[in-house]
Each structure stands twice: as C-alpha cells, then as structure tokens.
Amino acid sequence: MTTIDFWYEFGSSYSYPAALRIERQTKSEGVAVRWRPFLLGPIFSSYGWNDSPFNIYPAKGRYMWRDLERICARESLPLKLPPLRFPQNGLKAARIALALDNSGRVGDFTCHVYTANFAEQKDISDDGTLAGILRTLDLDPAAVLAAANTPENKAKLKAQTDEAVARGIFGAPSFTIGDELFWGGDRLGDAIAWAKR
Amino acid sequence: MTTIDFWYEFGSSYSYPAALRIERQTKSEGVAVRWRPFLLGPIFSSYGWNDSPFNIYPAKGRYMWRDLERICARESLPLKLPPLRFPQNGLKAARIALALDNSGRVGDFTCHVYTANFAEQKDISDDGTLAGILRTLDLDPAAVLAAANTPENKAKLKAQTDEAVARGIFGAPSFTIGDELFWGGDRLGDAIAWAKR
C-alpha cells in the first residue's frame, strides 16, 4: 500500500482538522498514513521568528482563525476560540507520539491532543492533560511518559525535525510521498492523488 | 448574479493559474468576477519585507516553484522556469488593468500579462511588452497608457491597495465575497461555494 507521511506540529492550528480527517480520507482511497510529529519552533527560529507567523503578522492570524472556523464548521469539528494560548508548546506531546510509534495508537493520541488544544482549551504541555489522554486510550501514563523521556526518544524527535528540514518542510501540516512535498491541510487531496499515481 | 472580487498582483506566481482559470470556473457556477489588481509591495514593506517571502525564505520559494509546476501541469497551462525575474514589478500592468476597468477587457489583459510573466520570460514592466499585449487585444496602446498614467488612475490603484489592506488581505491571489476573505488559488472553489450560499 502506498504511504503518505503526515508531518504535523502539536501547536499548529491547521494541523488539527488535517489530523482529525486524514485516516478517514486516506483509508477510503487505499492509502496508508505514517504519523510524523516534528517541531516547528527550531524551523521558525532559523527564519528569525521567535513566535508563530500568525502572531507576528496579525492580518495572517486574523485570517487563519476565521478560516479555521469555516473549515471546522464544514467538517463538523468542535472548535473553541480563543484557544488557551497560541501556539502551545507541543514538545512533550511530540515526544509521546514518537514513543507510541509502532504501537498503532499514535493517530488516536494525536487526535485527542489536538482536540484538547483547539476544542477544549486545555494545556497540552501539562503532564496531567497528557496522562488523562493516555488513560482514555487505555495506555499506562507512567510507562509511556518514561519511554517519551528517554535520551533515545528525545534524540529521535530531534532527528525527525532535522529530517523535516532536509525534506524542505517549512510549515504544518505537510505531506510527503517520497520526495514530493505538499503543504497545507487543503492539499491532502492532492497528496493522496499523487500517492496513487 | 453573485460576484466574487478577485484580488491579484501581477508579480504573484500563484495568481497566474488562478487568473487563467477564474472566468471558466465561476461562469460554470453562475458567479460573476470583479477583477481587482492591487500591489503587494506596500503590504510586504509594512511587514518589514523588502522582497517576496518566496525569496526571503528559500524553503518556501523552492516549494512554491515545484507546486506551481504541478498546478500548471494539471491545468495544462504553459510555465517556463525560471521566470525572467521574480517578482517582477507589476505597477504599470496594474495601472493599465485599472484603466481598462468597465471595458470588459481587464480579464483578457490580465491573463496575457501573466502568460508573458510566467510562460514567456518577458519583462512585464516594459512598455513594449504591455503595448504588444494591448495591440493583441485590439486596444490602442497610446490611449490606454495615457489613461493608465493619469493622476486619477494612479490614485485609484493606491485606493485599491488600501482597500485590500482594510479587507485584511495579506497575499495574492485572494477572493472576497462581502466581508468574507479566502486566500490562495486553491481556495477558489471554497469562495465560489460561499458566494452561492
């Protein structure tokens, strides 16, 4: 089965509807998903940004929130604005998602974290929030958090972010099929069509 | 008939396929188009950018050119890369487009200028290029250029750019229906759907 790599950052607003939609949309097309959390912070820093461009450039930010409202309304996704803060720090969630790799649960975990961030005004950098999500998924919070915090797993997230940069990724969500890159949730259909070529 | 305002900048790469597609795509949906050229330069300057973000941030630029190749291939549009330069100065072309407003020819003129820029490696800030396009359209270059260069017409372009800013526009192409804004050529379908609500 052809696979799409789904590159996402837990603080990214547009990654929320993409994450909630991707399994359904790819499955119906016979395409598999590889969940690839990474960090946008180091990439933005390399551009000289110390914040999300949606905060640095207010017109872009105002547009994004309105656009996200429209997208979530169309896809019947809950959205509670403003979020607790924007962007939230997705470091811990990304480490957990990587630790869950190969468990078959990374997609479920990811969707719960996005819902906590953008529909529930919860702090996704808080251990309590993350442990609650893991419990909801019948996973052992202590064991998963321990695995997330090993030096090997931390290095894995750094390597994954480095790979994102090497692949030319500059924002989230992004999709890759081999060396082909698509940026933006509204390009998932194009990415699927490319994967099926 | 409902109308979509189509906001474009002659230097903008993604505006090229949008311009070449918009009349066909809107007509089949019973929606009218109002062609609204404006300048991105003053908007980018207000962000502290003295160049296109596609030049300032190379990863974004590399992605854009590859993405534009895919879009043009899919839509059977000619594309010749690299363009003569990027971005080209669209000031004169924008003034001409405004002078042609209400003539019913602004769409044709716009599409020819985009083709000159992105498929023919021509200098769209050159009077000869612009006069050649006007002649192709059976328009009188001397008369149109004179109308384009009146103080009233120059002020009209400044007012149009100010209106774009007031509407929250920060990039091109953009589409507005009343106060509703959509950014990006790939959102034209969403804009049409909104116009038909």
Side-chain angles (χ1 to χ4, degrees), chain B residues 66-85:
Chain B
R66 174 62 189 140
D67 196 34
L68 193 65
E69 274 184 337
R70 289 188 303 230
I71 293 168
C72 289
R74 187 180 61 204
E75 303 187 9
S76 300
L77 279 181
L79 176 69
K80 188 150 186 180
L81 297 181
L84 185 66
R85 74 182 68 85

Side-chain angles (χ1 to χ4, degrees), chain B:
Chain B
M1 195 188 280
T2 313
T3 298
I4 289 182
D5 281 28
F6 170 41
W7 298 84
Y8 60 98
E9 143 75 55
F10 280 102
S12 154
S13 52
Y14 278 122
S15 297
Y16 164 46
L20 276 277
R21 178 202 321 130
I22 193 168
E23 287 282 9
R24 188 176 64 248
Q25 196 171 340
T26 50
K27 225 167 256 176
S28 68
E29 300 273 357
V31 172
V33 176
R34 188 173 170 209
W35 297 76
R36 308 213 59 184
F38 73 108
L39 299 180
L40 274 175
I43 297 176
F44 287 173
S45 289
S46 75
Y47 296 165
W49 303 339
N50 59 359
D51 197 352
S52 162
F54 294 126
N55 291 336
I56 298 173
Y57 306 108
K60 287 178 85 82
R62 277 189 296 272
Y63 174 75
M64 179 276 287
W65 293 117
R66 174 62 189 140
D67 196 34
L68 193 65
E69 274 184 337
R70 289 188 303 230
I71 293 168
C72 289
R74 187 180 61 204
E75 303 187 9
S76 300
L77 279 181
L79 176 69
K80 188 150 186 180
L81 297 181
L84 185 66
R85 74 182 68 85
F86 180 80
Q88 287 205 49
N89 186 330
L91 175 66
K92 287 181 188 172
R95 285 180 179 160
I96 293 173
L98 270 181
L100 290 175
D101 215 5
N102 306 317
S103 73
R105 308 304 301 277
V106 59
D108 283 345
F109 172 76
T110 297
C111 290
H112 275 77
V113 175
Y114 277 119
T115 300
N117 190 346
F118 294 104
E120 298 172 348
Q121 295 176 322
K122 287 187 185 164
D123 182 351
I124 65 162
S125 68
D126 176 68
D127 284 348
T129 303
L130 296 166
I133 290 170
L134 292 168
R135 270 192 298 272
T136 300
L137 299 173
D138 284 322
L139 294 164
D140 175 3
V144 174
L145 288 167
N149 287 320
T150 61
E152 293 72 24
N153 194 64
K154 290 179 179 178
K156 205 171 150 191
L157 179 57
K158 193 177 174 313
Q160 183 123 297
T161 298
D162 290 345
E163 184 184 336
V165 172
R167 288 181 170 280
I169 289 172
F170 53 88
S174 290
F175 311 98
T176 56
I177 304 100
D179 289 336
E180 207 66 28
L181 169 64
F182 294 85
W183 171 53
D186 47 10
R187 307 301 296 281
L188 176 56
D190 290 343
I192 291 171
W194 190 274
K196 293 174 72 178
R197 277 159 57 110

Side-chain angles (χ1 to χ4, degrees), chain A residues 81-154:
Chain A
L81 297 182
L84 185 66
R85 76 182 68 84
F86 180 81
Q88 288 204 50
N89 186 331
L91 175 66
K92 286 181 188 173
R95 285 179 178 159
I96 292 173
L98 270 182
L100 290 175
D101 215 5
N102 306 319
S103 73
R105 308 304 302 276
V106 60
D108 283 346
F109 172 76
T110 296
C111 291
H112 275 77
V113 175
Y114 277 119
T115 300
N117 189 347
F118 294 104
E120 298 173 347
Q121 296 176 324
K122 286 186 185 165
D123 183 351
I124 65 163
S125 67
D126 177 68
D127 284 348
T129 302
L130 296 166
I133 290 170
L134 292 168
R135 270 190 300 272
T136 300
L137 299 174
D138 285 322
L139 294 163
D140 175 4
V144 174
L145 288 167
N149 287 319
T150 61
E152 294 72 24
N153 194 64
K154 290 179 179 179

